[in-house]
């Protein structure tokens, strides 16, 4: 964090949009003026770019902390993402250029995707899924994942996508919390040159009774051996072949639930963030169009996020498809079969807008520019990043090496909870400053406040808050409205507390400084220290555990655990064995993304006199820094004892 503050004090570079880009763009600074003059009128105008079955008459009903946007209007989200483009004569436009990891390719037009989603809507209905029912989607990056989400939206079912890397118990807890009745998955998918099985994880998740899942719909992809339960499992391709091709879409109220997406909070239990229909679609489509200067007729857009995370929802499925975008979707990893893969894909399809994460950019930097130079990247005209702060060095490298020295880099700040981009420049308007996420997008009110809630001045730091409700805001935490109030709204009254530290520089531009709570950010993925701690203490050998996010050159933060073993295990296993066992245990329990980089077996943990673990000291130890203030430690010897264990 101190790095960022140094940069913020010294960063004076600014990069105006290329003149040709600015001149050819429909996006101008007028948007800021319109939104400032009449914020609700501005959002109403954006909402009217969607196709409504019943037009709304009221823009916002705000009963803090509950907002309803456009609530007396009705529409169908899937029709907005598909049918209306076909009806407008754009059915032959390519929706997806899909790239399988082994090199196979598929092209899906808007007409084809519309047909697929209509059939799939009938399949879901035939399986007894009704509006309001929950469907778990446990799928990797396949066109069927997009179809599954849109088919749910089409019939008003609420999807909850679960990242394909999550473990059976994690999948199960989401299925149970959401009360899902159907799971859509695949036999297996390609990852790092091998088929990675997914169906067995679903089988394992559903083994213990007590869940409400009636069917598992299985997309065939990996062609790996899987177990089959005739009473429950249904092949996607077989059901699709039998289903009726036509489907009449029903319109749903603007506030009809669209999806639940689980994200880590400060306690062990993930939060089911609930998003609804019209407001969410309005803001995702608006930001996608104006932040990136999207021209749906000519652009080829590639967002590299996984569909299991919010970026995949908002900036692969809903925003881009509402805008009728042609996009690239890829299965597997960037380095398989070779590290040239992302650049070859950009050249092959003439990608013009590329949206990825800082952790990927830092990995590209480490691999070296020779990989990018093997391909022609001159089609790129706008770049974007999301997920964590991007340091000015990585920003400049991205602009120079990937973007040919002239391409705007849009650093976009937002969260699962905000649903869509909140802070970012606009590619055709903003003079960008490397490392700063710039300013709130038009129509969004954001401030940085001190602990007492008073706005800080330019040049000062504090906590990021959103001061007015916004269209794509979360509506609640599924099944736990009290937690919704407590987590986001208790601290600063009617202002939304984001959980991020931020600073305004002398120009009033915003620099994000990372989380201020016990949420870690590893490669752009949110992980809760409490969730990993509870996984560690659930292991029979563990007496006590503390987890911190230590800074890491590539992944931003890394999980570092400090564990006290029960004495009988401490005697029976070597330190190395215990470390290995516990790292593996967390990976199996939560998923590989949560596997600690390091597990330190320690004799004790540093605590305050009131018994609170001093994570700050553990972070200092994990990062090999001089220890900060230790005067509140109950036992000064503990730190020396721990330090002697660190190798
Ligand atoms: C962090 C991802 C700095 C932040 C869309 C936030 C960022 C959390 C940025 C949300 C950015 C996201 N600059 N930090 N441009 N974008 N973050 O819910 O800490 O997975 O609170 O949503 O990521 O992560 P989430």
């Amino acid at each position: 964090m101190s790095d960022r503050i140094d940069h913020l004090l010294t960063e004076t570079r600014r990069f105006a949009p290329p003149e040709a880009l600015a001149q050819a763009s429909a996006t101008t600074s007028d948007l800021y003026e319109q939104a400032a003059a009449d914020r609700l009128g501005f959002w109403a105008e954006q909402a009217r770019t969607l196709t409504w079955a019943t037009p709304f008459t009221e823009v916002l009903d705000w009963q803090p902390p509950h907002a309803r946007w456009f609530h007396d209007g009705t529409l169908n989200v899937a029709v907005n993402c598909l049918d209306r483009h076909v009806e407008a004569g754009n059915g032959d436009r390519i929706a997806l250029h899909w790239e399988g990891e082994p090199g196979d390719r598929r092209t899906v037009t808007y007409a084809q995707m519309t047909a697929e989603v209509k059939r799939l809507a009938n399949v879901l209905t035939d399986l007894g899924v009704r509006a309001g029912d929950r469907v778990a989607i446990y799928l990797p990056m396949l066109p069927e994942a997009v179809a599954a989400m849109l088919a749910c939206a089409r019939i008003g079912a609420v999807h909850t996508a679960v990242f394909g890397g999550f473990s059976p118990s994690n999948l199960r807890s989401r299925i149970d919390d959401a009360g899902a009745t159907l799971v859509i998955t695949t036999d297996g998918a390609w990852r790092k040159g091998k088929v990675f099985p997914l169906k067995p994880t679903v089988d394992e998740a559903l083994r213990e009774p007590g869940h409400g899942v009636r069917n598992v719909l299985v997309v065939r992809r990996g062609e790996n051996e899987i177990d089959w339960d005739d009473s429950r499992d249904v092949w996607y391709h077989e059901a699709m072949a039998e289903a009726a091709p036509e489907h009449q879409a029903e319109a749903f109220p603007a506030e009809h639930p669209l999806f639940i997406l689980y994200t880590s909070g400060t306690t062990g239990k993930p939060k089911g963030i609930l998003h609804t229909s019209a407001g969410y679609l309005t803001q995702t489509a608006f930001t996608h169009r104006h932040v990136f200067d999207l021209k749906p007729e000519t652009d080829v857009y590639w967002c590299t996020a996984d569909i299991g995370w919010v970026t995949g929802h908002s900036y692969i499925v809903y925003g881009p498809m509402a805008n009728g975008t042609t996009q690239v979707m890829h299965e597997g990893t960037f380095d398989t079969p070779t590290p040239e893969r992302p650049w070859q894909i950009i050249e092959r399809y003439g990608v013009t807008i590329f949206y990825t994460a800082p952790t990927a950019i830092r990995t590209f930097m480490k691999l070296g520019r020779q990989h990018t130079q093997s391909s022609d990247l001159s089609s790129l005209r706008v770049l974007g990043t999301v997920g964590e702060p991007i340091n000015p060095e990585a920003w400049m490298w991205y602009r120079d090496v990937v973007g040919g020295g002239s391409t705007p880099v849009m650093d976009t700040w937002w969260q699962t909870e905000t649903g869509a981009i909140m802070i970012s420049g606009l590619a055709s308007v903003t003079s960008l400053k490397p490392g700063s996420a710039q300013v709130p997008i038009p129509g969004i009110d954001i401030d940085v406040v001190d602990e007492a809630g008073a706005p800080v001045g330019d040049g000062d730091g504090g906590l990021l808050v959103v001061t007015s409700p916004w269209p794509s805001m979360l509506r609640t935490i599924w099944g736990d409205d009290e937690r919704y109030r407590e987590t986001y709204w208790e601290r600063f009254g009617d202002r939304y507390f984001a959980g991020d530290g931020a600073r305004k520089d002398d120009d009033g531009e915003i620099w994000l400084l990372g989380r201020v709570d016990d949420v870690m950010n590893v490669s752009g993925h949110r992980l809760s220290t409490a969730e990993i701690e509870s996984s560690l203490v659930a292991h029979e050998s563990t007496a006590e555990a503390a987890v911190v996010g230590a800074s890491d050159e590539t992944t931003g933060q890394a999980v570092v655990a400090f564990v006290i073993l029960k004495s009988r295990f401490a005697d029976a296993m070597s330190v190395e064995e215990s470390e290995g066992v516990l790292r593996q245990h967390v990976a199996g329990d939560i998923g590989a993304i949560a596997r600690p980089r390091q597990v330190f077996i320690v004799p004790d943990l540093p605590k305050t006199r009131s018994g609170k673990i001093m994570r700050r000291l553990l972070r200092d130890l994990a990062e090999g820094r001089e220890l900060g203030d230790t005067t509140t430690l109950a036992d000064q010897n503990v730190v020396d004892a721990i330090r002697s264990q660190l190798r």
Side-chain angles (χ1 to χ4, degrees), residues 310-311 386-389 411-416 500 512 515 521 526:
V310 74
T311 308
V386 58
E388 50 177 320
D411 177 5
T412 62
W413 179 89
W414 58 292
Q415 306 177 298
T416 305
D500 276 35
L512 277 309
R515 303 286 309 187
N521 190 328
R526 271 164 74 168

Side-chain angles (χ1 to χ4, degrees), residues 187-435:
D187 48 0
W190 287 88
R191 196 182 145 75
K192 290 200 181 280
K194 289 198 289 273
V195 172
F196 177 84
L198 272 89
K199 169 79 162 48
T201 304
V202 177
D203 293 339
E204 177 64 24
L206 298 179
R207 206 157 51 151
E208 293 292 322
H211 58 77
V213 174
R214 292 190 301 262
N215 293 107
V216 177
L217 188 61
V218 188
V219 176
R220 190 161 66 193
R221 165 62 183 156
E223 303 193 0
N224 44 315
E225 266 313 304
I226 51 172
D227 291 339
W228 198 257
D229 174 350
D230 272 327
S231 68
R232 187 195 70 187
D233 300 341
V234 180
W235 279 113
Y236 181 100
H237 60 276
E238 288 180 1
M240 288 290 274
E242 282 162 22
E246 265 319 310
H247 180 268
Q248 194 61 41
E250 186 189 333
F252 294 98
E255 284 294 338
H256 188 78
L258 183 62
F259 66 86
I260 303 166
L261 189 59
Y262 287 85
T263 188
S264 297
T266 51
T267 69
K269 189 174 182 285
K271 303 177 281 196
I273 303 302
L274 178 71
H275 283 287
T276 60
S277 301
Y280 171 80
L281 198 61
T282 297
Q283 195 175 329
T284 51
F286 170 79
T287 48
H288 182 247
R289 185 176 282 264
H290 294 285
V291 168
F292 300 113
D293 182 40
L294 178 78
K295 295 183 169 59
E297 304 75 25
T298 48
D299 273 318
V300 179
Y301 162 83
W302 184 18
C303 167
T304 68
D306 190 279
I307 217 110
W309 305 109
V310 74
T311 308
H313 286 56
S314 301
Y315 294 103
I316 294 177
V317 181
Y318 292 108
M321 298 198 73
N323 288 333
T325 310
T326 295
Q327 56 184 325
V328 173
M329 181 178 187
H330 78 289
E331 177 192 43
T333 57
F334 275 163
D335 56 359
T336 308
T338 69
E340 278 80 28
R341 186 177 186 217
W343 319 118
Q344 288 166 349
I345 291 178
I346 289 173
E347 177 178 309
R348 183 169 313 126
Y349 299 108
V351 171
T352 55
I353 306 175
F354 182 60
Y355 192 25
T356 195
T359 184
I361 298 163
R362 291 193 298 265
T363 305
F364 300 148
M365 280 173 81
K366 249 209 286 202
L367 287 169
R369 61 177 70 204
Q370 69 277 13
H371 295 293
T372 59
Q373 283 162 349
S374 62
S375 302
D376 177 3
L377 306 182
S378 60
S379 56
L380 289 170
R381 60 183 203 92
V382 179
L383 301 173
T385 87
V386 58
E388 50 177 320
I390 178 162
N391 45 314
E393 291 68 31
W395 194 99
M396 287 304 302
W397 191 93
Y398 194 26
R399 179 184 164 90
D400 286 342
V401 177
V402 180
S406 62
T407 306
V409 173
M410 312 316 296
D411 177 5
T412 62
W413 179 89
W414 58 292
Q415 306 177 298
T416 305
E417 291 88 339
T418 70
I421 294 170
M422 302 292 277
I423 305 175
S424 165
L426 305 177
S428 60
V429 174
T430 313
S431 279
L432 301 164
K433 204 185 271 172

Side-chain angles (χ1 to χ4, degrees), residues 68 85 96 99 181 187 206 243 257-258 298 341 387 438-439 442 504 546 556 598-599 605 607:
R68 296 192 301 163
H85 305 314
L96 297 177
E99 280 265 336
T181 53
D187 48 0
L206 298 179
L258 183 62
T298 48
R341 186 177 186 217
Q438 309 295 152
V439 292
K504 285 198 234 167
Q598 288 155 303
V599 171
L605 291 169
K607 292 189 182 152

Side-chain angles (χ1 to χ4, degrees), residues 568-629:
R568 63 195 160 96
F569 287 92
D571 299 341
M573 279 197 293
S574 75
V575 166
E576 288 74 20
E577 269 172 341
S578 312
E579 289 170 357
V581 165
L582 290 171
R583 290 181 70 233
Q584 203 39 46
H585 166 74
V586 173
D589 193 27
I590 301 177
I593 47 165
R595 187 200 318 268
R597 183 185 73 186
Q598 288 155 303
V599 171
F600 293 115
I601 306 297
V602 294
D604 217 337
L605 291 169
K607 292 189 182 152
T608 62
R609 286 178 198 100
S610 60
K612 220 169 143 0
I613 293 173
M614 294 183 70
R615 284 170 210 283
R616 181 175 51 76
L617 290 190
L618 291 176
R619 215 170 292 130
D620 289 344
L621 286 167
E623 293 173 356
R625 252 199 319 270
E626 280 302 302
L627 297 191
D629 183 9

